[in-house]
Amino acid sequence: MSPAPPGGPAAAGEPDPPAPSHFDEDTAVRREGDVWKATLHPRWNVGNNPNGGYLLAIAVRAMLADAGRDDPLTVTAHYLSPPGEGEVEIRTEVFKPGRTLVNVSAGVIQGGRERVRVLGVFGDLSERAGPTRVSARPPEVPPPDECVSLLDLTRRAGRQVPEVMNRFDLRLPPDSPWGRPGEGDPFEITGWIRFNDGTEPSALSSVAFADAFPPTLLGALAAGWVPTIELTVHVRGRPSPGWLLGTFRTRVLVDGLLEEDGELWDSEGRPVALSRQLAMVLGPPGA
Amino acid sequence: MSPAPPGGPAAAGEPDPPAPSHFDEDTAVRREGDVWKATLHPRWNVGNNPNGGYLLAIAVRAMLADAGRDDPLTVTAHYLSPPGEGEVEIRTEVFKPGRTLVNVSAGVIQGGRERVRVLGVFGDLSERAGPTRVSARPPEVPPPDECVSLLDLTRRAGRQVPEVMNRFDLRLPPDSPWGRPGEGDPFEITGWIRFNDGTEPSALSSVAFADAFPPTLLGALAAGWVPTIELTVHVRGRPSPGWLLGTFRTRVLVDGLLEEDGELWDSEGRPVALSRQLAMVLGPPGA
């Protein structure tokens, strides 16, 4: 699609030019001397703190630039202390330059305090060659227009909508077991997801999609808060335009420590990312 | 069991005192000034390079000491350049001290070159409190004495036994699909494992067990070498004495990039660790 001519009115029947992308704008990084700077926008907040996937995407943008590569292959974030909105500094170190793979470390700092530490391996997914065999299958769910908007569900339940949820269009199958699994079932959430402003998915944004679903345990367990301790995302492909299908599952909750294993599938049914996070159940506030 | 009295003969019928533990001895770290030192023993080698899980265990011992905690909760290793046997230096940084969780970074250096970079979160698994619910189930396999030794299998097939394989007693079920999966099957290896010298498993050694099985793809795909790019291990519990049951699975091999997802279960059927590694298929030597 071509944008409308500058200054001219859009021709009748022609779609509006694409709106600026919130994701692209809000993850922008700029070089200042030895460090990178970025500005955390509150529209990605949960309460007063930015969503972890959004924070990770900012660090990864700076790391990609330093690596001189196009794609994250694996990134691991340790969440240390949640920042607020506003400026952050990103200190990066290329600790292993390489012909194909480049390893980079980053610290995201606000108010003199490190908030997130990230390790990543970067490369070019379009230049990779090697065998392919996928035995995993995308989950079977009805198409997006037969699914239920998580935003609508949350509002109808009279529950507060975290600001970050407005950045995504996330749709659950009508019979989703999320929030009410049976005794022997995994805690699980499966659904379609895309940015709500028409931004198409990318290898970079898959690290944000990997942390965009609500916690698998939410509603099913009297947990006030399930903070992420560590999140690792493996990126296997650049997603095709359109919806992503995501599925997140918790099978081993022990003494309040749990994993969330995620898969993201693109609109052509290809697996584009695998994620795993370590999270911790904290009791309801005041408990 | 009490050791035999010093110098005295063991009483009739009393078992011999436990042999020194190769794992304990060969992962020992010593403080020298600002850094830790360790000596890589060739009995953990694959070819001329130490096994990745052994290397990780050495780094984790130094990190635990600096953290002042008993258990790794999650550790992520980036493998940069394989070291040889002999001395290594471990440079650590406690980048987030905390009341319960402590985050530490480590670099393992040999010949002035960083070989492995590690991030870890450390704590005390015995002090954790919170909900437990496990929907995962241990794989169903015959007891160890009805299984087949991988060492015997490898020797009988006339294949070379990597030195590290002699450190473990690893037993596969007689009907193991490993090395010959069907078209739609995951690449998978499941079996019992323990140290061959009687050393009991621990939270620390679970990071070594998470990399002790041969690659899921081995024998099933004409891959010469499947080096690990990144390995993350979540430790959920201190294993009870006895055998561990391990299962490792690859479901998403795309353009030569693959995950290996592992689970380790202890002798009481409890899940003690989850692992995931990102690895890369390299063609057979000379291809």
Side-chain angles (χ1 to χ4, degrees):
Chain A
M1 174 196 330
S2 351
E14 200 175 314
D16 290 338
S21 159
H22 283 152
F23 180 77
D24 293 350
E25 286 186 354
D26 299 344
T27 59
V29 295
R30 52 191 184 278
R31 189 89 201 175
E32 287 188 16
D34 287 345
V35 301
W36 294 93
K37 293 277 179 74
T39 305
L40 304 179
H41 197 290
R43 67 182 146 223
W44 300 88
N45 274 7
V46 180
N48 293 319
N49 308 113
N51 162 267
Y54 165 60
L55 272 177
L56 177 55
I58 289 176
V60 169
R61 272 188 82 161
M63 296 163 93
L64 281 167
D66 280 346
R69 290 297 183 279
D70 286 331
D71 304 295
L73 303 192
T74 175
V75 292
T76 293
H78 279 203
Y79 293 95
L80 308 173
S81 162
E85 63 180 278
E87 191 166 274
V88 290
E89 189 178 293
I90 305 144
R91 293 190 193 157
T92 55
E93 177 205 2
V94 177
F95 61 95
K96 171 73 166 43
R99 202 169 45 84
T100 54
L101 305 183
V102 180
N103 297 66
V104 186
S105 165
V108 179
I109 293 147
Q110 190 181 60
R113 189 168 171 187
E114 187 168 3
R115 309 306 181 131
V116 190
R117 172 74 64 101
V118 187
L119 286 190
V121 181
F122 301 92
D124 191 325
L125 287 169
S126 69
E127 288 175 8
R128 296 227 22 100
T132 292
R133 206 179 88 183
V134 178
S135 62
R137 290 287 163 264
E140 292 189 12
V141 296
D145 57 6
E146 294 173 25
C147 287
V148 193
S149 155
L150 181 67
L151 212 51
D152 292 348
L153 276 179
T154 310
R155 282 190 191 121
R156 261 183 276 154
R159 278 189 284 165
Q160 214 185 328
V161 174
E163 189 50 36
V164 67
M165 264 178 70
N166 295 309
R167 304 285 75 75
F168 298 100
D169 187 354
L170 204 170
R171 303 202 190 167
L172 305 185
D175 61 349
S176 171
W178 179 65
R180 43 178 179 75
E183 254 315 301
D185 295 344
F187 297 102
E188 189 170 323
I189 183 166
T190 296
W192 299 99
I193 193 166
R194 60 181 179 187
F195 286 120
N196 77 341
D197 64 1
T199 305
E200 293 295 355
S202 62
L204 169 64
S205 63
S206 64
V207 309
F209 285 110
D211 194 42
F213 281 65
T216 51
L217 262 59
L218 203 70
L221 211 75
W225 188 36
V226 190
T228 303
I229 299 172
E230 176 253 310
L231 168 63
T232 295
V233 185
H234 292 188
V235 181
R236 286 287 202 292
R238 297 180 185 162
S240 298
W243 289 94
L244 293 173
L245 183 54
T247 184
F248 296 82
R249 196 174 293 122
T250 296
R251 297 161 70 240
V252 183
L253 165 64
V254 176
D255 295 340
L257 287 175
L258 62 137
E259 87 289 0
E260 273 201 22
D261 280 355
E263 296 168 10
L264 290 169
W265 300 81
D266 76 1
S267 58
E268 297 183 35
R270 295 183 313 139
V272 291
L274 300 180
S275 68
R276 172 173 285 169
Q277 64 171 262
L278 177 65
M280 186 166 51
V281 176
L282 297 181
Chain B
M1 172 198 327
S2 348
E14 201 175 314
D16 289 338
S21 159
H22 284 151
F23 180 78
D24 293 351
E25 285 185 357
D26 298 343
T27 60
V29 295
R30 53 192 184 277
R31 191 88 200 175
E32 286 188 17
D34 286 346
V35 302
W36 294 94
K37 293 276 180 73
T39 304
L40 304 180
H41 198 290
R43 69 182 143 221
W44 301 87
N45 273 9
V46 180
N48 292 319
N49 308 114
N51 163 268
Y54 166 61
L55 271 177
L56 177 55
I58 290 176
V60 169
R61 273 187 81 163
M63 297 164 92
L64 281 166
D66 279 346
R69 292 296 184 279
D70 286 330
D71 303 296
L73 302 192
T74 175
V75 292
T76 292
H78 279 204
Y79 294 94
L80 309 174
S81 164
E85 63 180 279
E87 191 165 275
V88 290
E89 189 178 293
I90 305 144
R91 292 191 193 156
T92 54
E93 178 205 4
V94 177
F95 61 96
K96 173 71 164 46
R99 201 169 45 83
T100 52
L101 304 183
V102 179
N103 297 68
V104 186
S105 166
V108 179
I109 292 146
Q110 190 181 62
R113 188 166 173 190
E114 187 169 2
R115 309 302 182 137
V116 191
R117 173 74 63 101
V118 187
L119 286 190
V121 180
F122 301 91
D124 189 326
L125 287 167
S126 69
E127 287 175 6
R128 297 228 21 101
T132 292
R133 207 182 84 184
V134 179
S135 62
R137 291 286 165 263
E140 293 189 10
V141 296
D145 57 6
E146 295 173 24
C147 287
V148 192
S149 156
L150 180 67
L151 212 51
D152 291 346
L153 276 179
T154 310
R155 282 191 193 122
R156 260 183 276 156
R159 279 190 283 166
Q160 213 186 332
V161 174
E163 189 51 37
V164 65
M165 265 178 70
N166 295 310
R167 303 286 78 70
F168 297 100
D169 186 353
L170 205 169
R171 304 204 189 167
L172 304 185
D175 61 350
S176 171
W178 178 65
R180 44 177 179 76
E183 252 318 299
D185 295 345
F187 297 101
E188 190 170 322
I189 184 167
T190 295
W192 299 98
I193 194 168
R194 61 182 180 185
F195 287 118
N196 78 341
D197 65 0
T199 305
E200 292 294 355
S202 62
L204 169 64
S205 62
S206 64
V207 311
F209 285 110
D211 194 40
F213 282 66
T216 51
L217 262 58
L218 204 69
L221 211 74
W225 188 36
V226 190
T228 304
I229 299 172
E230 176 252 312
L231 168 63
T232 295
V233 186
H234 291 187
V235 181
R236 286 290 201 292
R238 298 180 185 161
S240 297
W243 289 93
L244 292 173
L245 182 55
T247 183
F248 295 82
R249 195 176 292 121
T250 296
R251 296 162 70 240
V252 183
L253 166 65
V254 177
D255 295 340
L257 287 174
L258 63 138
E259 87 288 359
E260 273 201 22
D261 280 354
E263 296 168 10
L264 291 169
W265 300 81
D266 75 1
S267 58
E268 297 183 33
R270 295 182 313 141
V272 292
L274 299 180
S275 68
R276 172 173 285 169
Q277 64 170 261
L278 177 66
M280 186 164 54
V281 175
L282 297 182

